[in-house]
Amino acid sequence: MEKLGNDRVLVSDFKQQKLETDAQKNWDLFYKRNTTNFFKDRHWTTREFDELKNCRESEGQKLVLLEAGCGVGNCIFPLLEEDLNIFIYACDFSPRAVEFVKKNALYCTERCLAFQCDLTKDDLQANIQVGTVDVATLIFVLSAIHPDKMQKSLEQIYKVLRPGGIVLFRDYGLYDHAMLRFKSGNKLGENFYVRQDGTRSFFFSREYLAGLFQNAGFETLVNEYVLRETVNKKEGLCVPRVFLQSKFRRPVHS
């Protein structure tokens, strides 16, 4: 808190506006540089979120999932491999990321629809019928969106969820090691920073996150910090990680 409190130098308004204008381009360049090699496949999602298996109202019902901010498919393809009775809508800000999803050998239009979408302004309903999604996932996605536009993104997801539908959330928590590593000159606003490649990251408190979802119409089911350690044996490093792992529901009578 002392370290962060002493960092009062903000990136200029001009540069902040340029970062917002170039946000899609910067993520596209990220995927151009890293292709499909940066993030590991997320085989942990069904372990952490049992709703991905148990959210069906009847046995044999097809689960309809929205993966918002799907990247190159590190979450959706393990799910498609694991569960035959699932249909996934997958969208991302980056057109290049969506192309990588479509080129994956596991991509099949009968089980998955991938499309480019800016959650802050594009209409999800252009690809998804209102009230038809059982579960939406927001995994390390909301943190990349400007705080002023986060609630609009959540309102979009609210519309396509069925009443009683769930949002499964995991993202960076306040005082995570990634937050403490930022040097002076990278701060955009309170808990909001820019990386060297121009992509941005926000770090959430439980209260801030709960307020965002509640203002978008959701009920809070679970909203907890998850503490982990990342160990690099080669360099002898052990760093503390702080994530927020949460579940929010569109009210049944909504």
Side-chain angles (χ1 to χ4, degrees):
M1 290 174 71
E2 184 181 344
K3 178 184 185 299
L4 296 172
N6 289 333
D7 185 6
R8 298 187 179 92
V9 180
L10 295 183
V11 172
S12 70
D13 287 344
F14 174 80
K15 188 176 179 185
Q16 293 219 35
Q17 288 172 7
K18 186 164 177 23
L19 286 168
E20 181 64 22
T21 303
D22 293 346
Q24 185 180 70
K25 183 177 81 174
N26 289 332
W27 276 108
D28 235 29
L29 288 171
F30 171 89
Y31 287 112
K32 183 178 181 180
R33 281 191 305 273
N34 298 292
T35 65
T36 59
N37 300 317
F38 190 82
F39 300 110
K40 294 179 180 177
D41 279 353
R42 292 170 177 156
H43 293 283
W44 51 266
T45 53
T46 50
R47 184 178 70 244
E48 296 285 344
F49 297 117
D50 58 4
E51 286 82 359
L52 291 170
K53 289 186 172 180
N54 303 325
C55 207
R56 297 165 172 82
E57 291 180 349
S58 60
E59 197 171 337
Q61 176 194 348
K62 186 184 288 289
L63 185 75
V64 178
L65 175 76
L66 166 62
E67 166 80 350
C70 62
V72 297
N74 298 100
C75 181
I76 64 174
F77 291 122
L79 288 175
L80 287 171
E81 280 187 296
E82 197 170 319
D83 189 337
L84 295 174
N85 202 19
I86 189 171
F87 184 89
I88 300 178
Y89 292 103
C91 67
D92 200 89
F93 193 26
S94 163
R96 194 181 298 270
V98 172
E99 283 307 307
F100 279 125
V101 171
K102 290 181 175 179
K103 289 176 182 174
N104 191 297
L106 290 170
Y107 184 76
C108 167
T109 53
E110 292 176 359
R111 303 187 62 209
C112 185
L113 173 65
F115 57 97
Q116 192 276 331
C117 179
D118 178 352
L119 285 172
T120 68
K121 61 181 182 182
D122 297 337
D123 194 347
L124 276 174
Q125 295 171 55
N127 289 281
I128 307 173
Q129 193 174 339
V130 173
T132 57
V133 172
D134 299 304
V135 181
T137 56
L138 271 174
I139 299 177
F140 297 103
V141 173
L142 203 61
S143 56
I145 294 173
H146 193 287
D148 292 348
K149 298 182 177 181
M150 288 179 182
Q151 191 173 322
K152 172 70 186 297
S153 304
L154 298 181
E155 289 168 357
Q156 286 245 60
I157 292 170
Y158 183 97
K159 288 176 185 174
V160 297
L161 276 174
R162 64 170 172 79
I166 305 284
V167 176
L168 305 177
F169 178 94
R170 188 166 184 170
D171 217 323
Y172 300 108
L174 210 54
Y175 312 132
D176 179 57
H177 179 70
M179 184 181 187
L180 302 177
R181 283 179 58 194
F182 281 109
K183 295 183 173 64
S184 183
N186 291 85
K187 190 171 183 178
L188 301 171
E190 188 175 2
N191 306 329
F192 193 37
Y193 296 83
V194 60
R195 302 184 185 93
Q196 283 186 321
D197 63 3
T199 62
R200 298 165 299 175
S201 189
F202 188 88
F203 297 84
F204 294 94
S205 68
R206 285 175 55 192
E207 296 76 15
Y208 186 89
L209 184 69
L212 276 176
F213 272 90
Q214 285 164 14
N215 288 337
F218 289 92
E219 301 171 334
T220 303
L221 300 180
V222 179
N223 188 26
E224 299 293 344
Y225 291 110
V226 173
L227 306 180
R228 296 280 188 267
E229 288 185 337
T230 299
V231 179
N232 186 328
K233 292 181 180 177
K234 188 177 179 182
E235 296 183 18
L237 291 174
C238 179
V239 297
R241 305 307 310 268
V242 183
F243 305 122
L244 259 178
Q245 188 159 302
S246 313
K247 300 174 186 179
F248 301 94
R249 179 172 62 194
R250 175 173 174 169
V252 175
H253 302 293
S254 64

